[in-house]
Amino acid sequence: MISNKIDQGLKGSPKIPGDKSISHRSVIIPSIANGKTEVKNILKSEDVVHTINAFKNMGVEIIENNENMIINGKGLNSLKEPKSEIYLGNSGTSARLLTGLLSTQKFNSSITGDKSLSSRPMMRIVKPLSAMDAKIQTTNGSLPIKINGQNLKSKDIEIKIPSAQIKSGIILAALNTDGKTRIIENSVTRDHTEIMLESFGADINTYLENSKKIIEINGKKEFNSNKIDVPNDLSSSAFFIIAALINENSKLKLNDININPTRNGILIALEKMNANISYSNKRKINNEEVCDIEVETSNLNGCELDSSIAKLMIDEYPILSIAATFASSPSVFRGLNELRVKESDRLELIKINLLKCGVKCEVKDDNLFIYPSNKYRINDKNITTNYDHRIAMAFAVLGTRIGPLKICDSESIRTSFPTFVSEFNSIGGKVF
Ligand code: S3P
């Protein structure tokens, strides 16, 4: 894919697709609820389609009609032994959440994934599940894994790595485990699983204890179906927001965007950078905060972000780095070690690709430093993405200012935002 420099500003109201995290949960939770759930505006990207196929493979009736779906759930123990291994492509969220769910089923299963997913760490979810007596064999700590489904023991589980995927995998295991499981979360991570389960009437309770979040689940309690309207994805919006901020004469309106406070770090960071962003029509849909966002060209300044905000915006560092590239002063983003175990080593790829584009930057320990300049001289226009969708889209946005850039292996964008190119071009982008 080539991303060219644009000559006029970006204008309009692109359609941002449904939130990826909520879409996965909109398949998983209704599949183990009782009754018919109607889901609207689900993201039909490759990652979510892998989750949908996994549940079809386990006998769940799912009727699809473009972005809408009806799922006929039959309860916590209704899943059938899959006829074949469960292949989850590139989707880390599906892999971690399904490992938790499948560890309590009355059948054995195996999970596989593509090359990138097969190199990502699975012990982070296997270890706490093993403490509950789960029987899971990994391949050197990664996929493929084999799960011997059985009854687990409820326990107190402290989550050491800040990760909503780990937390959600354990919640899904706890739902089908006798007794009370208490999950102790040391730092806040996205809480879509808790919100959706509460709205389905599951026996889940969250509270603070010594400033740590406790999630208490009374297992083996069935819950009923509910309607779901998936809000649009803030992580996907971020590529458009920053494209508008860094290009002259730009103004965009993005509608129905999820601004869940456990996910809104990018908006806090951009406010610190003096971004001209306004919010209207704030409301709650299925207990998720939603609003419309207007964004205009802005004179950004650099900023220093400490590690505490990283959990609230872990997926947004690639695109935030592009904003920092056009700020009037340097930026430093601290505490980014988790970026190394995403769809690629994102910390390394941000650095390598910014350097290719002539942007001075460095990584020291797990901190990223970016030193912007008025003019960039491209050393190598071939952007390495290692099939990482967010690296591809972030550097496509950089192309609007300094392109043409060749974004290699950009087909990965299909995993989260299949309509990215057409929406980007509809507002004046030049991506082909
Ligand atoms: C996700 C959680 C995050 C995020 C991922 C989606 C989720 O991962 O990076 O894109 O839906 O729970 P971690 O929980 O591993 O940080």
Side-chain angles (χ1 to χ4, degrees):
M1 178 172 92
I2 306 289
S3 176
N4 275 311
K5 197 166 166 172
I6 61 165
D7 33 35
Q8 279 163 355
L10 297 168
K11 292 215 168 63
S13 186
K15 165 77 182 91
I16 304 298
D19 184 86
K20 180 153 83 72
S21 293
I22 299 177
S23 292
H24 284 297
R25 288 150 175 89
S26 299
V27 179
I28 298 171
I29 292 173
S31 291
I32 53 168
N34 276 294
K36 276 196 165 67
T37 295
E38 235 184 279
V39 186
K40 281 192 190 154
N41 194 42
I42 189 159
L43 167 69
K44 279 288 187 67
S45 71
E46 272 183 10
D47 276 10
V48 179
V49 168
H50 284 301
T51 299
I52 295 173
N53 288 342
F55 283 88
K56 284 185 175 170
N57 197 356
M58 290 189 281
V60 179
E61 190 195 339
I62 301 179
I63 304 162
E64 296 176 66
N65 179 7
N66 299 321
E67 277 73 46
N68 300 332
M69 256 179 2
I70 293 176
I71 302 180
N72 201 357
K74 298 214 165 105
L76 283 173
N77 268 303
S78 63
L79 301 179
K80 307 262 178 338
E81 181 164 355
K83 292 186 191 75
S84 51
E85 60 188 24
I86 296 176
Y87 176 72
L88 296 175
N90 193 245
S91 181
T93 303
S94 317
R96 274 66 177 257
L97 270 60
L98 286 189
T99 300
L101 179 76
L102 293 174
S103 64
T104 69
Q105 296 299 313
K106 49 187 186 303
F107 51 77
N108 298 338
S109 52
S110 50
I111 298 180
T112 62
D114 71 6
K115 197 168 155 235
S116 145
L117 185 58
S118 304
S119 69
R120 294 179 65 186
M122 287 298 288
M123 289 317 290
R124 50 181 52 207
I125 177 71
V126 171
K127 257 195 181 166
L129 289 170
S130 304
M132 295 169 75
D133 269 4
K135 296 281 172 286
I136 303 166
Q137 297 114 54
T138 68
T139 309
N140 303 320
S142 298
L143 297 184
I145 61 168
K146 284 192 171 27
I147 303 169
N148 297 96
Q150 57 178 33
N151 283 328
L152 305 190
K153 286 206 181 82
S154 52
K155 271 204 159 175
D156 281 10
I157 301 282
E158 184 170 354
I159 302 186
K160 306 260 165 53
I161 304 169
S163 160
Q165 295 181 350
I166 302 175
K167 169 178 68 176
S168 302
I170 299 166
I171 293 176
L172 291 169
L175 287 172
N176 200 24
T177 297
D178 262 324
K180 186 185 285 178
T181 303
R182 264 168 43 103
I183 300 169
I184 300 125
E185 206 184 18
N186 287 309
S187 40
V188 177
T189 64
R190 68 189 70 192
D191 61 359
H192 305 303
T193 308
E194 298 92 301
I195 289 181
M196 194 177 288
L197 281 170
E198 275 164 16
S199 82
F200 272 61
D203 199 333
I204 180 168
N205 202 0
T206 60
Y207 53 89
L208 283 179
E209 196 176 86
N210 304 325
S211 73
K212 293 180 179 181
K213 181 175 167 182
I214 311 292
I215 305 150
E216 219 171 69
I217 298 128
N218 284 308
K220 299 273 186 199
K221 301 270 170 66
E222 298 286 342
F223 50 88
N224 292 325
S225 56
N226 197 0
K227 282 194 169 154
I228 300 173
D229 196 350
V230 180
N232 295 331
D233 198 316
L234 179 59
S235 299
S236 298
S237 309
F239 301 106
F240 287 78
I241 292 174
I242 285 158
L245 289 172
I246 63 170
N247 279 291
E248 277 188 6
N249 296 319
S250 295
K251 187 172 182 171
L252 297 178
K253 180 148 191 257
L254 311 174
N255 292 326
D256 309 320
I257 309 300
N258 181 237
I259 48 161
N260 179 317
T262 62
R263 271 284 284 287
N264 68 356
I266 183 68
L267 300 174
I268 298 169
L270 289 173
E271 195 178 316
K272 278 181 130 196
M273 293 174 80
N274 191 39
N276 193 346
I277 301 179
S278 59
Y279 307 94
S280 59
N281 199 12
K282 281 196 184 174
R283 60 209 186 274
K284 282 201 170 180
I285 301 181
N286 299 121
N287 267 337
E288 288 281 355
E289 279 184 45
V290 175
C291 77
D292 302 337
I293 294 179
E294 268 188 278
V295 52
E296 285 183 55
T297 311
S298 302
N299 292 322
L300 298 176
N301 47 249
C303 77
E304 181 162 353
L305 299 179
D306 71 24
S307 59
S308 64
I309 199 172
K311 296 102 194 166
L312 309 183
M313 55 172 293
I314 194 67
D315 290 337
E316 279 63 79
Y317 285 99
I319 187 62
L320 184 70
S321 305
I322 305 303
T325 295
F326 296 100
S328 57
S329 53
S331 289
V332 46
F333 308 143
R334 299 187 192 280
L336 304 187
N337 52 337
E338 275 295 299
L339 283 195
R340 294 198 182 277
V341 290
K342 292 294 175 188
E343 287 83 330
S344 67
D345 179 343
R346 285 187 177 153
L347 195 49
E348 188 64 13
L349 283 189
I350 293 170
K351 183 187 87 178
I352 287 175
N353 287 314
L354 284 180
L355 290 173
K356 282 186 183 190
C357 296
V359 182
K360 205 175 150 208
C361 63
E362 56 187 339
V363 172
K364 284 190 209 152
D365 301 322
D366 57 355
N367 309 316
L368 173 66
F369 297 76
I370 297 175
Y371 308 100
S373 131
N374 291 331
K375 213 169 167 19
Y376 293 114
R377 221 186 48 139
I378 299 178
N379 303 310
D380 178 355
K381 66 175 173 32
N382 298 297
I383 300 300
T384 306
T385 68
N386 289 348
Y387 295 93
D388 184 324
H389 55 134
R390 298 200 198 279
I391 296 289
M393 288 185 276
F395 281 85
V397 171
L398 179 58
T400 62
R401 284 288 305 265
I402 66 163
L405 293 178
K406 182 173 181 226
I407 317 290
C408 303
D409 308 315
S410 61
E411 56 272 29
S412 60
I413 291 174
R414 291 196 297 251
T415 61
S416 71
F417 199 159
T419 52
F420 174 76
V421 169
S422 56
E423 291 303 324
F424 206 64
N425 290 338
S426 79
I427 54 159
K430 291 191 171 172
V431 179
F432 304 99

